[in-house]
Amino acid sequence: MANGSSSSSSSLSSRRSLLKLLLPSSLVFIFGIISALTYQSILKPPPAKLYSSPITAPRIKLRDGRYLAYKEHGLPREKANHKIIFIHGSDCCRHDNVYSTLLSPDLVEELGVYMVSFDRPGYCESDPDPNRTPKSLVLDIEELADQLSLGSRFYVIGYSMGGQATWGCLKYIPHRLAGVTLVSPVVNYWWKNLPLNVSSEGFYMQPRRDQWWVRVAHYAPWLVYWWNTQKLFPGSSVANRDHGILSKPDKDVIMKLGSSRKPHVAEIRQQGIHETVNRDAIVGFGSWEFDPLELENPFLKKEGYVHLWQGDEDMLVPVTMQRYIASKLPWVQYHEVSGSGHFLHYGKGMVDDIVKTLLTTDAN
Ligand SMILES: *[C@@H]1O[C@H](CO)[C@@H](O)[C@H](O)[C@H]1NC(C)=O
């Protein structure tokens, strides 16, 4: 009896330990399979699509074999005194260079302006760069300048999400810059020298859907693709091209623009949403290896200047954060435009003002 009970209890305990061994590992296994399938089917972004329209832009081949499409504006390179590279914002492309289309022809002649805009990786006719970092885009820009022989120094204008790459230029290639203009540059709430009260005030000024979007981009980039393709709740307003969150002056601009962007809008995301708008957010709101608030003036001999333009009715980039950044970087010339929003360059004479300010407050 003692034997029997001991043998049955030992077989019970061995069955238990077998269960203990099996249960967690089989659960882990099943869970693993389910999550792998889920990841494959709904979370994992498909590879960027091939170009749906034929390539029409001139392109340069970059260090890693990717092609970068560009568009030249203004005077021919060899006749120009000032060469400017323009970096476009999210959900735009090389055609959205208002700094050339709205620049008065007189000013182009008078100041001798050449400009080049390019499709950021994944947009329109540039190849995607799934390994993009805040630094890699800067290297793309430097290669563009060198392959087009823009000389040892050039100007950079960066708008909105392109403004982040412009901070990158100040960090990684300051010796190549003749002058820099940031217009409504996007702020990364996770730059480490932003005081918590300043970044949270800015963060909570965004609509709820964009607070979530920016959080997902920062904390769970693997969820970003699903976030912007699901229909259960609203994804990012930029991804959904929702103008509802814009301020009155910005809505007026959109009304006025009407369908003027239509010819190229379809091309912007022809390679898919992931290597365009999504990648912008993953890189833009990710953890950076530098903080613009730590940057030093690259122009100690006043051989150039850095300008930052910001509208005080910008609902996409909070003016309060921009004011803080400007206050910490006294070498940045801060220009706040009252009654303007994120699209401040569409204001009458603004483009002329912005370009003239960049090109005439220097040593040339
Ligand atoms: C953040 O806190 C500092 C120090 O307490 C204060 O001086 C500043 O006004 C605050 N800024 C905002 C935007 O609340």
Side-chain angles (χ1 to χ4, degrees):
M1 175 121 184
N3 269 355
S5 102
S6 97
S7 87
S8 88
S9 83
S10 84
S11 78
L12 195 68
S13 80
S14 73
R15 243 181 285 150
R16 273 214 194 107
S17 56
L18 192 68
L19 257 185
K20 248 192 235 158
L21 266 177
L22 270 182
L23 198 71
S25 55
S26 58
L27 266 188
V28 166
F29 182 70
I30 291 166
F31 181 75
I33 296 225
I34 291 176
S35 35
L37 288 175
T38 318
Y39 181 68
Q40 282 301 331
S41 60
I42 59 171
L43 297 185
K44 191 178 178 206
K49 289 181 212 143
L50 292 178
Y51 303 101
S52 52
S53 50
I55 300 295
T56 55
R59 307 201 298 177
I60 59 158
K61 191 173 185 182
L62 297 167
R63 62 202 174 281
D64 54 3
R66 279 181 297 119
Y67 282 90
L68 194 80
Y70 64 91
K71 181 174 181 177
E72 297 180 291
H73 320 251
L75 295 188
R77 264 174 263 163
E78 54 286 356
K79 286 200 185 150
N81 304 323
H82 297 99
K83 291 162 192 143
I84 307 175
I85 298 186
F86 173 67
I87 316 173
H88 68 76
S90 228
D91 209 20
C92 295
C93 75
R94 66 184 190 283
H95 296 301
D96 290 302
N97 180 5
V98 295
Y99 296 92
S100 102
T101 52
L102 299 184
L103 187 63
S104 78
D106 290 347
L107 215 50
V108 172
E109 287 295 333
E110 181 193 323
L111 297 173
V113 182
Y114 160 90
M115 221 181 286
V116 59
S117 53
F118 62 99
D119 292 334
R120 292 201 283 104
Y123 281 104
C124 280
E125 299 186 2
S126 284
D127 290 343
D129 182 5
N131 303 317
R132 217 175 100 190
T133 62
K135 187 177 185 177
S136 68
L137 189 55
V138 174
L139 300 181
D140 294 356
I141 291 166
E142 191 178 22
E143 277 188 74
L144 179 67
D146 289 341
Q147 292 200 35
L148 294 179
S149 309
L150 300 192
S152 59
R153 286 177 189 265
F154 46 87
Y155 293 85
V156 172
I157 300 179
Y159 174 61
S160 188
M161 213 42 142
Q164 289 190 324
T166 313
W167 288 118
C169 290
L170 286 162
K171 165 72 182 173
Y172 298 111
I173 54 165
H175 55 287
R176 301 301 309 273
L177 307 172
V180 169
T181 292
L182 302 115
V183 184
S184 324
V186 171
V187 176
N188 180 348
Y189 303 93
W190 289 273
W191 285 337
K192 58 180 189 294
N193 291 294
L194 280 173
L196 194 60
N197 63 346
V198 174
S199 57
S200 26
E201 187 192 54
F203 186 85
Y204 290 110
M205 268 177 60
Q206 307 178 93
R208 191 67 59 86
R209 65 189 290 181
D210 290 320
Q211 294 173 19
W212 275 108
W213 160 242
V214 164
R215 277 192 195 108
V216 168
H218 181 79
Y219 293 109
W222 49 272
L223 199 59
V224 156
Y225 175 70
W226 176 76
W227 196 268
N228 269 342
T229 40
Q230 54 72 37
K231 301 273 177 275
L232 302 172
F233 48 83
S236 121
S237 42
V238 171
N240 288 281
R241 292 182 172 157
D242 174 6
H243 299 147
I245 67 158
L246 298 177
S247 61
K248 173 82 172 52
D250 281 338
K251 281 184 180 149
D252 292 346
V253 167
I254 301 256
M255 281 277 287
K256 249 193 240 155
L257 285 178
S259 58
S260 59
R261 288 181 71 225
K262 210 167 177 186
H264 67 268
V265 159
E267 245 192 79
I268 289 178
R269 297 187 192 177
Q270 64 174 332
Q271 300 179 75
I273 193 176
H274 200 65
E275 291 304 332
T276 52
V277 177
N278 288 358
R279 184 66 62 197
D280 276 351
I282 293 172
V283 174
F285 298 112
S287 301
W288 287 27
E289 62 179 21
F290 78 97
D291 179 344
L293 287 161
E294 298 165 342
L295 291 176
E296 296 191 353
N297 185 3
F299 305 119
L300 290 175
K301 295 184 209 121
K302 296 198 189 303
E303 66 276 41
Y305 289 93
V306 180
H307 299 273
L308 196 163
W309 296 76
Q310 170 75 34
D312 67 351
E313 292 187 36
D314 188 332
M315 303 309 283
L316 296 172
V317 181
V319 68
T320 48
M321 303 184 79
Q322 222 66 274
R323 282 180 191 149
Y324 180 82
I325 291 169
S327 76
K328 291 291 157 186
L329 301 174
W331 46 272
V332 171
Q333 322 273 314
Y334 182 58
H335 312 263
E336 193 171 300
V337 185
S338 84
S340 283
H342 197 62
F343 308 137
L344 63 86
H345 42 215
Y346 286 104
K348 197 169 186 314
M350 280 305 297
V351 160
D352 283 358
D353 252 14
I354 291 172
V355 174
K356 202 169 172 176
T357 304
L358 172 66
L359 301 184
T360 55
T361 51
D362 66 11
N364 290 335

